[in-house]
Each structure stands twice: as structure tokens, then as C-alpha cells.
Amino acid sequence: MKKSMGLLFSAAVLGVSLATIAPTAVHAADAAPTAAVTKATIADKKGTVYRFAYGKAPAIATYTDAALTKKTDKAVANTSVSGRTWLWENAYDQVATDDQGAVTAYHFAEGWAAAKEFYTEDPTQYKIYPELNNGTVTSEKPATVYADPQLTKATGKTLPAGSRWRINASYNALTQINGSWGIADTVAYNLGGNQWVSNKEFTSDAGAAFYTSNNVGDVLVTNPNGAKLYSDLARTKFTGRTLSFGSRWQAPDSIMSHSDGTVGWGLGGLQYVNKTDVSPVYRFDAVFTVRYKAHPTWGIAVYNSKLQVTKTIPANSRWRVFKQLQRRVNGTNTTQEYYNIGGDQWVRSDYGTVAPK
């Protein structure tokens, strides 16, 4: 069975056992607001940008001006990339930059659109994950066996239609939807050694109601009442222990449901938490520049893991980003993205711009 949109967050694993990360508190007052206007510089430049699309992705508005003040009734076209249904690409012929040289908008056939909505390179990630399962050759003809997960080196061997095989790993295309990384598609399955088959010819068996999938990342307890710890995947057997609000934990496993995707996380051993009590944290190496869109000269607040303001940082200052947090809002599926700028210091992603390190 082809995989559904299970979430696999790309944060680095911090340890082998459960461990909290102590917050570093810093106190400072909010900065006084001032105002400034930045004029966009337009240059003729052609290129292609990308954005993830899975199902009905939100439309990207266009404008008649590079400053993005005069909205049109058109949206940026949804142009699919061949063979990758999770990805759209758009060609532009002009770019607009701010006084710092950062690209703020692209010009497409439909008009100008905000640069923050796009990636400058195909952002799809491809990763191999362990998968101990079984599967069946479901094509009507024998399935070709390849020596590589990209399916470019045929071995000359084939598997009979209807035959069943043990799966050792899967090769997946990862996409980011609503701020969370997950599997857009499984490209191939490994049947042992350098033996790979295409997911178009081979289908993995469905497992139990809940199953685990490899996850490389942490979770932050964002429920003010804490996160209850359970001893079963269904999260029905409460251990009597509750993880404290603001604590962060290694999460080597995602708890998956065939119908609902990610429903929780495993913290090692028989220790599980509900999705609604925690928020995923994953590695993100970049540089963040403070730029509050409505008032570019304002400073912005820095928060700790409990969303307490610890200090402010000035407009246009630049900070190294180490992690990205999709913080769950009041236990709902709505999230607010934050960047970690070292220790227990977090800033809202929409209060600035980010660029590769």
C-alpha cells in the first residue's frame, strides 16, 4: 500500500534516552516602535521558483506593483513538476529587492508575488528509512529490480507478479506542508542488499491500527497542563507520569495511523505522548534577519519555551538559526512557526526573513 502523508520531522536526534533541556532565561524590555519605508529595487532576471503542493494548497496572491500594495484578482498559476505531484514550479522574469539586497518579490505572468512564498531550488528531500514489513508485486507484469533507490540501475532481475517479499527499507520523497515535513511519496522499497523495486510495481502491506515510523527530531511540550505519558501506541494506558510544560524530549518514533497520519510520538521504550500535547522541533541551519513587516524598524521579542518574553532584539540584526519549531496553538492543529537562535531562545518566523547559512 502506498504511504499516506505521515510526518517525519527532520530535526537531529539529541540523545539516546529521555532528557530535558533546561531553559536559559534572559530579561529585557520591549523595544519602542518607530516607522520606516523601504523602496523596492526592480531588476530584470529570469529564473524558476518552487513551492510544495499537496491536495488543495492555498492560492498565492499577486499584485500590480513590486511593493505588493495593489492586489489583483489573479493567483499564481499552479504548474506541476512532471512526476512530482507534491511540487509546483513557476517561472519569473523580474525580481524586487529591499535596501539590504534581499529578494522580496518575484514577477510572474500573473503579477508580483511575495518571495517568502517560494523556494529558489527544488526543496524535496529524499531519505531512506528502515521499514520492517512485507509487500507484494502488484503490477500485472514482473517488477524490475534496481541496484539503487533512485531506480536508475537495472540489475536485469525481475520479480514475478503477485509474489511477496520482505521489506527492509523505503526510499521516500519528503515535503513540507503547513510547516511540517512528511512523506509525499514512497519512491522505492529495499528487499535486501542492493535490491530496490519501484512503488509503482510493488505495494507495502498495511499494518495494525497504529504503527511506528522512524522520526529524527524532538518534541516540545506545548500544552500548559503538560503531556501525559502512555505505555501503549493507542495511548490508552496512562503511566501516571506527566511531562512538564516547556520541556523538550528526544522523539525517535512517530506514531502513525493509516487514516489520520501522525497521531503522537514515541520517546523511547514504551513511552508515548499525544500529538495535541507536544510540538515538533527539527534541525534548521540558516540565518534570520529581524524585519517586522508592518514596521521594519521595530525590534522583536525573544521567547523561551514557555512563551515568556525574555528580551528583544533590534531591527535588521542577524542571528544564526539552529532549529525550527511548529508550535501547536492551544492544543489545536493550528501552528505558529518559531526559529531557535541558540539555547532556549525562540523568535517568530514571520517577524523576519531567513536565508541559507
Side-chain angles (χ1 to χ4, degrees):
M1 184 184 78
K2 188 178 293 185
K3 287 195 172 180
S4 62
M5 184 66 183
L7 302 183
L8 296 170
F9 301 97
S10 56
V13 176
L14 298 183
V16 175
S17 60
L18 292 173
T20 57
I21 300 179
T24 303
V26 184
H27 301 282
D30 289 337
T34 57
V37 177
T38 301
K39 184 177 180 181
T41 300
I42 299 174
D44 291 333
K45 183 179 180 180
K46 293 183 178 181
T48 302
V49 288
Y50 304 86
R51 56 194 170 106
F52 283 127
Y54 203 92
K56 294 183 179 179
I60 306 300
T62 63
Y63 301 80
T64 60
D65 61 320
L68 308 180
T69 62
K70 301 175 183 178
K71 195 172 183 179
T72 74
D73 59 356
K74 299 178 181 179
V76 176
N78 299 335
T79 307
S80 298
V81 178
S82 177
R84 286 170 281 178
T85 57
W86 61 88
L87 192 66
W88 285 333
E89 64 180 355
N90 296 92
Y92 61 84
D93 56 9
Q94 289 181 306
V95 297
T97 56
D98 60 17
D99 55 2
Q100 302 297 315
V103 176
T104 57
Y106 296 104
H107 184 263
F108 305 101
E110 300 80 15
W112 289 94
K116 68 177 183 178
E117 305 288 355
F118 303 92
Y119 294 90
T120 57
E121 296 180 351
D122 179 354
T124 307
Q125 297 184 16
Y126 293 91
K127 291 187 178 181
I128 296 174
Y129 291 98
E131 181 175 339
L132 297 179
N133 206 335
N134 297 305
T136 305
V137 176
T138 49
S139 61
E140 295 181 357
K141 60 182 181 179
T144 301
V145 178
Y146 298 86
D148 62 321
Q150 296 81 14
L151 308 177
T152 62
K153 303 174 182 177
T155 63
K157 298 179 181 179
T158 59
L159 305 177
S163 60
R164 290 178 55 79
W165 303 84
R166 180 73 168 173
I167 300 171
N168 292 300
S170 59
Y171 182 63
N172 302 293
L174 304 185
T175 181
Q176 194 178 36
I177 300 298
N178 296 327
S180 297
W181 282 94
I183 296 178
D185 200 3
T186 295
V187 178
Y189 294 102
N190 178 264
L191 307 183
N194 294 324
Q195 299 181 101
W196 296 86
V197 291
S198 170
N199 75 322
K200 293 180 175 61
E201 300 180 318
F202 188 90
T203 301
S204 174
D205 288 352
F210 300 103
Y211 61 98
T212 60
S213 183
N214 187 46
N215 178 61
V216 183
D218 308 325
V219 291
L220 177 71
V221 178
T222 47
N223 183 342
N225 297 319
K228 289 185 177 181
L229 201 61
Y230 299 88
S231 61
D232 63 321
L233 287 174
R235 288 144 289 119
T236 60
K237 300 177 181 178
F238 179 44
T239 64
R241 182 183 176 192
T242 300
L243 306 180
S244 61
F245 174 48
S247 60
R248 196 162 91 220
W249 305 85
Q250 175 195 356
D253 298 306
S254 297
I255 305 174
M256 310 298 298
S257 162
H258 293 294
S259 59
D260 300 319
T262 300
V263 295
W265 277 274
L267 308 185
L270 300 177
Q271 302 179 102
Y272 306 99
V273 291
N274 269 321
K275 171 183 178 179
T276 53
D277 292 333
V278 298
S279 300
V281 180
Y282 50 93
R283 184 176 179 180
F284 190 69
D285 196 7
V287 175
F288 176 78
T289 301
V290 177
R291 183 172 293 277
Y292 183 53
K293 188 189 307 183
H295 300 281
T297 59
W298 287 15
I300 65 170
V302 177
Y303 303 89
N304 63 18
S305 294
K306 295 183 178 181
L307 277 189
Q308 299 167 327
V309 176
T310 61
K311 66 177 181 179
T312 58
I313 51 179
N316 299 317
S317 58
R318 301 172 75 244
W319 302 84
R320 171 80 178 274
V321 175
F322 299 93
K323 293 182 182 297
Q324 191 174 30
L325 164 68
Q326 298 299 327
R327 192 177 186 107
R328 197 170 298 282
V329 178
N330 298 325
T332 68
N333 286 325
T334 302
T335 61
Q336 171 63 56
E337 183 179 56
Y338 290 82
Y339 294 136
N340 176 267
I341 57 173
D344 191 27
Q345 300 184 106
W346 303 87
V347 294
R348 283 181 53 150
S349 65
D350 55 341
Y351 286 176
T353 59
V354 68
K357 178 179 173 295

